[in-house]
Amino acid sequence: MLSVLFSSLVPILLALVLGWGFGKFAAASLKQKIIRSITYLVWLLLVAIGFQFAEVLANPQIGISVLLHALLYASVLSGVTFLFLYRKTELSKANVAMRSLKDVLSPIKECVIAMLMVVFGIVLYVGFNQKFSTEHLASNLLYILIFFIGVDFSTVQLQSLTKRHFSVPIITILAMVVSAGILSLFTHYSATTLMMVGSGFGWFSLSGSLIATLTNPELGSFALLTDLMREFYAIGLLYLLGQRMPYPVIGICGATSMDSTLLFVKKSCSALEVQIAIFSGFILTLLAPFLIVLFASF
């Protein structure tokens, strides 16, 4: 478990630190070119995510029941997390930000483009599923993007830790526990089983394999799909609400706010909110494997 955690965290942190160091010494023109290229690399990553999602759905061990339960649980997790992190001050911020039709249509347009990239990835899988795999491509692309974010981050003044740095991951964990309790009332899964599945916090590459090893392939598939769908919710909401209601959406990102959804956080949120997202993602990434093992033991 520690080796999985180490091998997942170190490359991400290394890419971020190297990008930050590079940005401190690189010419301003080069940094601008790197920052402008982030959008196009994000699209490529979304295509790879769509391809991976199609690979999961093509697995014969995943039945319609598992798929529907995963969709339901991801929806409940995302909704409860959003409500727990939502504050009335977010509403006034939203009212100030939404002043023109362009303000409304711009994030919707970006969200539609993002979803189209995912659909394109699914289409690619249907046409070329026997020809290649995107697993290594997606990982390498993610590290390049995080390096680029580090370059962009080098222009930002780092701020000290605030209560928000700690409240976002803590409330995200509490929302997971409450969500598991709610869903256990309407499904045949126990609350502890659902807490085990929810403890992936969007980290589908860990949760699916670890839970399948600890329990059975069905629950592993359930966890993988739940975290995948949670990531889709996070990406869509970052485009639509990230600028106006950042903390609830960062909570939905879960552990992925320091890696795969960090790119979208950076695009939609302020410098301080990006730092909080990285901190929250780091804490949840550290806790995820331990919580999964803990709840699997019950």
Side-chain angles (χ1 to χ4, degrees):
M1 182 172 64
L2 288 175
S3 63
V4 172
L5 187 63
F6 185 81
S7 63
S8 298
L9 279 176
V10 169
I12 293 169
L13 293 175
L14 185 61
L16 193 63
V17 171
L18 287 176
W20 181 85
F22 180 84
K24 285 295 183 182
F25 298 99
S29 59
L30 178 58
K31 285 194 285 188
Q32 287 303 314
K33 289 179 181 178
I34 288 174
I35 292 169
R36 284 197 298 267
S37 68
I38 288 177
T39 296
Y40 303 104
L41 291 175
V42 166
W43 290 352
L44 288 176
L45 181 63
L46 286 169
V47 172
I49 290 174
F51 195 98
Q52 291 176 323
F53 184 61
E55 284 183 308
V56 173
L57 292 181
N59 187 335
Q61 293 182 332
I62 297 178
I64 188 65
S65 175
V66 174
L67 180 62
L68 292 176
H69 278 110
L71 176 60
L72 177 61
Y73 193 23
S75 301
V76 173
L77 279 169
S78 300
V80 172
T81 302
F82 189 95
L83 289 174
F84 276 30
L85 284 165
Y86 176 82
R87 298 192 307 175
K88 289 184 179 180
T89 52
E90 304 279 1
L91 183 59
S92 61
K93 186 177 179 182
N95 290 334
V96 170
M98 299 293 286
R99 289 179 292 189
S100 70
L101 182 62
K102 183 179 179 181
D103 292 330
V104 178
L105 294 180
S106 180
I108 294 176
K109 176 184 174 183
E110 292 184 348
C111 183
V112 170
I113 292 174
M115 293 301 105
L116 286 175
M117 292 299 107
V118 173
V119 171
F120 183 59
I122 295 173
V123 172
L124 281 180
Y125 175 82
V126 173
F128 302 99
N129 61 319
Q130 301 298 326
K131 305 290 178 60
F132 63 93
S133 172
T134 63
E135 181 178 354
H136 297 298
L137 174 63
S139 297
N140 293 331
L141 184 60
L142 178 61
Y143 297 143
I144 293 171
L145 282 165
I146 290 176
F147 176 86
F148 282 9
I149 287 175
V151 173
D152 193 11
F153 211 51
S154 66
T155 63
V156 175
Q157 181 68 39
L158 296 178
Q159 302 183 41
S160 58
L161 294 179
T162 66
K163 290 182 180 179
R164 276 291 194 181
H165 284 79
F166 296 95
S167 65
V168 171
I170 290 172
I171 293 175
T172 299
I173 294 171
L174 177 62
M176 179 273 293
V177 173
V178 173
S179 299
I182 292 172
L183 199 65
S184 67
L185 299 175
F186 303 99
T187 67
H188 65 277
Y189 295 110
S190 67
T192 52
T193 296
L194 290 167
M195 281 187 275
M196 173 188 68
V197 171
S199 292
F201 300 111
W203 189 1
F204 63 85
S205 60
L206 168 84
S207 62
S209 58
L210 180 57
I211 289 176
T213 301
L214 293 171
T215 57
N216 57 67
E218 179 186 339
L219 285 178
S221 299
F222 180 27
L224 191 153
L225 276 171
T226 299
D227 284 330
L228 262 175
M229 292 176 182
R230 177 175 181 158
E231 185 168 341
F232 286 150
Y233 275 124
I235 292 171
L237 289 172
L238 278 168
Y239 277 114
L240 296 173
L241 302 174
Q243 291 183 338
R244 303 179 302 281
M245 303 178 187
Y247 300 118
V249 185
I250 289 171
I252 295 172
C253 292
T256 69
S257 63
M258 74 163 290
D259 48 64
S260 58
T261 57
L262 176 59
L263 321 166
F264 308 97
V265 174
K266 178 67 183 68
K267 189 175 180 65
S268 302
C269 303
S270 70
L272 175 60
E273 290 153 2
V274 171
Q275 293 176 40
I276 291 173
I278 293 174
F279 183 84
S280 175
F282 178 77
I283 296 299
L284 294 173
T285 297
L286 284 176
L287 292 177
F290 296 101
L291 290 176
I292 288 173
V293 172
L294 173 65
F295 291 125
S297 64
F298 288 97

